[in-house]
DNA sequence: AGGCGATACCTTGACAGTCTAAGTATTGAG
DNA sequence: CTCAATACTTAGACTGTCAAGGTATCGCCT
């Protein structure tokens, strides 16, 4: 039971969110999802069926790199870390999102 | 040549944007697209292949109602107007978007 | 022993919504 | 007489999200 419905709105934003999460240092998939949910108090819900494919996608594009390791709890986990190109991508997407959000806010702004 | 790429980010936000546009009074499709582009200085680009299906969708859902009329330039045009349910929907979606945008901004916020 | 919840990853298939691109028709300007 | 702008329609491709299932391990509780 999520705090509020996020629905499909994540569309096109997930990549930037994950990239940003990884900008704080390497993390494994499960931890990325938990971190995003925690820091947004469940406003952003990341489904595994969305997250893992997104991770593979971004790895193929060279934005992130994977390496198997051990989680904090001693289990095997795949750690992802940002590449240089990923950092550029993050910067670009952040800027795009800021502009888009500003535009939408302008339109949706509390009526007269 | 758009000012900036909006890509697919519109996903899940178009409805609210259109609903809001109609909250100022009835408008025909073409005018909705122009208005959104104008007021966001092209930050939001609405393709016809996205807009018209969205309009039909929302009409089916009872959020808007259509009526044929004459445009300002004397051409036949289908005017859409918000229904009561559409107004509620707009309110709900606006609130959802505000929360979502806040959450994303929190994550994407300029780094430490 | 046994079960169960949390951790951690993977995959399939359905689906919705956007986009590109094509088409129709009318009007006014050049 | 042609062309751009206005105005709507539709087909088809694509992409990314989601739901829902699966695997496996670990620690805790009974």
């Amino acid at each position: 039971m999520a705090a509020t419905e996020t629905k499909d709105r994540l569309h096109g934003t997930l990549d930037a969110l994950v990239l940003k999460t990884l900008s704080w240092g390497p993390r494994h998939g499960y931890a990325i999802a938990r971190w995003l949910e925690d820091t947004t108090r469940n406003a952003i819900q990341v489904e595994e069926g969305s997250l893992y494919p997104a991770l593979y996608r971004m790895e193929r594009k060279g934005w992130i790199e994977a390496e198997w390791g051990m989680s904090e709890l001693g289990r095997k986990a795949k750690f992802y870390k940002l590449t240089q190109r990923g950092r550029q991508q993050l910067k670009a997407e952040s800027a795009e999102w800021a502009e888009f959000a500003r535009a939408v806010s302008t339109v949706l702004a509390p009526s007269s």
Side-chain angles (χ1 to χ4, degrees), chain A residues 32-53:
Chain A
I32 293 170
R34 291 295 79 71
W35 188 81
L36 282 172
E37 289 175 3
D38 287 351
T39 66
T40 63
R41 275 177 295 181
N42 287 323
I44 289 169
Q45 207 85 11
V46 186
E47 303 302 328
E48 306 196 332
S50 309
L51 178 65
Y52 292 113

Side-chain angles (χ1 to χ4, degrees), chain A residues 93-105:
Chain A
E93 291 202 25
S94 286
E96 280 173 30
W97 195 82
E99 188 190 355
F100 176 71
R102 197 179 37 69
V104 174
S105 291

Side-chain angles (χ1 to χ4, degrees), chain A residues 35-82:
Chain A
W35 188 81
L36 282 172
E37 289 175 3
D38 287 351
T39 66
T40 63
R41 275 177 295 181
N42 287 323
I44 289 169
Q45 207 85 11
V46 186
E47 303 302 328
E48 306 196 332
S50 309
L51 178 65
Y52 292 113
L55 254 9
Y56 308 147
R57 209 161 56 222
M58 292 194 283
E59 192 182 4
R60 274 203 315 276
K61 290 182 179 173
W63 300 347
I64 58 178
E65 280 171 1
E67 192 185 359
W68 283 98
M70 278 294 168
S71 77
E72 318 73 47
L73 297 172
R75 307 210 180 141
K76 74 177 172 52
K78 204 190 272 182
F79 284 78
Y80 290 92
K81 77 158 192 276
L82 220 48

